[in-house]
Amino acid sequence: MSTFPATRLRRLRRTGALRELVAETHLDLADMVMPLFVSPEALPNEALPAMSRHTVDGLASAGVPAVLLFGIPEAKDDEGTGAWIDDGIVQQALRALRERFPELLLLTDVCLCEYTAHGHCGVLHGGEVDNDATLDLLARTSISHVEAGADAVCPSDMMDGRVGAIRHALDDAGYEQTPIVAYSAKYASAFYGPFREAADSAPSFGDRRGYQMNPANVREALRECELDLAEGADVIMVKPALPYLDVIRAVRERFQVPVAAYNVSGEYGMVRAAAARGWLDERQAALESLTAIKRAGADIVVTYWAKDLAAWL
Ligand SMILES: [Zn+2]
């Protein structure tokens, strides 16, 4: 093995073209998914523009190939009825987007927390989220999304058995070709803060640690992925992304399926806030963050920078 001076690693770093030639990781807009919030009334967010709420009429494609829809309904109740009704906010958005942008990939977040008055991800029984009673509602929500035009459904609730319940329900309804993108390793994270504001989904009591994962665990993440795959998940997801790059890497190495990572609102918000103070350059920090997530092993990245990336790349 040759050493210095025969070997000089700086040779391949000398120009931009050389660096690009030997880059091991590339960002491609085709791998990015833009979260999109839809509600009866528009609510611009100046500090975090990607987290603005749009009306059904105001929805635009944002120049990205894929979107992940979240709905903020007009009314909430204990069961989260707004999640699965035929004229729910996400169902309306799906029909409008499908007609306006036939090529746009439409993914939907499947959960009840935006629709329940208590803000938890499932129905309550004795002050706790009732796992099994929630499964049927998640399945109904999934079917109504697919009926309205969703290309894939993405359960984010972290109930045990939800992927299997949704798979069976979709198959029974004739949607055996619709993939499930499972939020398999979803952690109870402080980095969801800006999202809860944007989606109006903060729990009215307690927290989500009874169903979302403990940030301390990685072996458990692999078990979650294994179970979701056994139940029929087509893509498995790790959420959040940046504080969990080791989890993405572990999942990548263990499973031969597409892996998604969710670059969450707090990750986006921290960079935006620091950039607003002139502490760092948003574009550089965002590109570096997204490159790190892909380098860790993610095939697909859900990111609030997807729209900006369309302009940057
Ligand atoms: Zn939820």
Side-chain angles (χ1 to χ4, degrees):
M1 198 170 160
S2 67
T3 54
F4 180 82
T7 303
R8 291 176 184 269
L9 295 186
R10 285 184 56 189
R11 281 183 200 127
L12 294 176
R13 297 179 198 145
R14 202 169 52 80
T15 67
L18 278 170
R19 289 191 291 275
E20 196 54 28
L21 184 71
V22 298
E24 298 172 31
T25 309
H26 293 276
L27 293 181
D28 188 341
L29 197 59
D31 303 327
M32 303 292 160
V33 178
M34 177 81 187
L36 211 51
F37 298 91
V38 60
S39 79
E41 279 183 50
L43 183 65
N45 185 332
E46 270 170 39
L48 302 172
M51 307 202 65
S52 299
R53 290 185 198 170
H54 306 273
T55 60
V56 170
D57 286 338
L59 287 168
S61 78
V64 293
V67 296
L68 175 58
L69 287 171
F70 293 89
I72 300 103
E74 204 147 23
K76 304 185 185 220
D77 59 27
D78 282 347
E79 287 213 303
T81 310
W84 66 81
I85 50 175
D86 191 49
D87 62 346
I89 188 75
V90 164
Q91 290 80 354
Q92 291 179 44
L94 284 165
R95 292 193 179 95
L97 286 168
R98 180 47 73 229
E99 194 178 316
R100 260 178 259 165
F101 309 104
E103 302 292 311
L104 184 63
L105 199 56
L106 300 174
L107 284 69
T108 59
D109 182 85
V110 173
C111 198
L112 301 182
C113 54
E114 286 114 15
Y115 305 91
T116 51
H118 46 73
H120 277 286
C121 300
V123 286
L124 297 182
H125 195 241
E128 275 190 51
V129 174
D130 185 333
N131 189 91
D132 298 11
T134 301
L135 299 182
D136 180 48
L137 304 183
L138 295 168
R140 283 166 72 175
T141 303
S142 301
I143 289 175
S144 79
H145 286 179
V146 179
E147 278 173 350
D151 292 303
V153 291
C154 315
S156 65
D157 50 281
M158 290 301 279
M159 297 302 122
D160 287 320
R162 80 274 168 73
V163 172
I166 291 170
R167 185 72 271 159
H168 279 129
L170 288 176
D171 290 359
D172 284 349
Y175 298 123
E176 65 281 339
Q177 292 297 331
T178 301
I180 297 175
V181 178
Y183 289 69
S184 299
K186 182 179 180 182
Y187 288 87
S189 172
F191 292 94
Y192 303 149
F195 174 92
R196 288 179 185 169
E197 188 80 9
D200 188 23
S201 67
S204 61
F205 69 93
D207 54 44
R208 299 198 173 103
R209 286 182 291 183
Y211 38 105
Q212 295 178 352
M213 279 186 57
N214 181 345
N217 296 351
V218 62
R219 291 192 298 266
E220 187 189 0
L222 297 175
R223 288 190 76 196
E224 284 285 5
C225 290
E226 199 169 17
L227 289 169
D228 281 0
L229 288 170
E231 290 175 31
D234 298 280
V235 178
I236 48 182
M237 194 197 297
V238 176
K239 180 184 182 183
L242 290 174
Y244 297 87
L245 294 179
D246 61 316
V247 179
I248 297 172
R249 168 53 50 188
V251 168
R252 166 75 293 145
E253 286 177 358
R254 175 77 69 92
F255 303 103
Q256 303 296 319
V257 299
V259 174
Y262 199 135
N263 175 218
V264 304
S265 62
E267 300 169 34
Y268 168 68
M270 286 193 297
V271 170
R272 289 282 308 179
R277 292 193 154 207
W279 288 349
L280 46 75
D281 180 83
E282 184 189 1
R283 181 174 178 274
Q284 293 298 333
L287 292 174
E288 187 176 328
S289 297
L290 296 172
T291 300
I293 294 165
K294 293 223 72 176
R295 190 195 62 230
D299 302 294
I300 302 161
V301 186
V302 182
T303 176
Y304 296 95
W305 280 301
K307 186 182 170 189
D308 295 311
L309 202 62
W312 291 338
L313 290 180

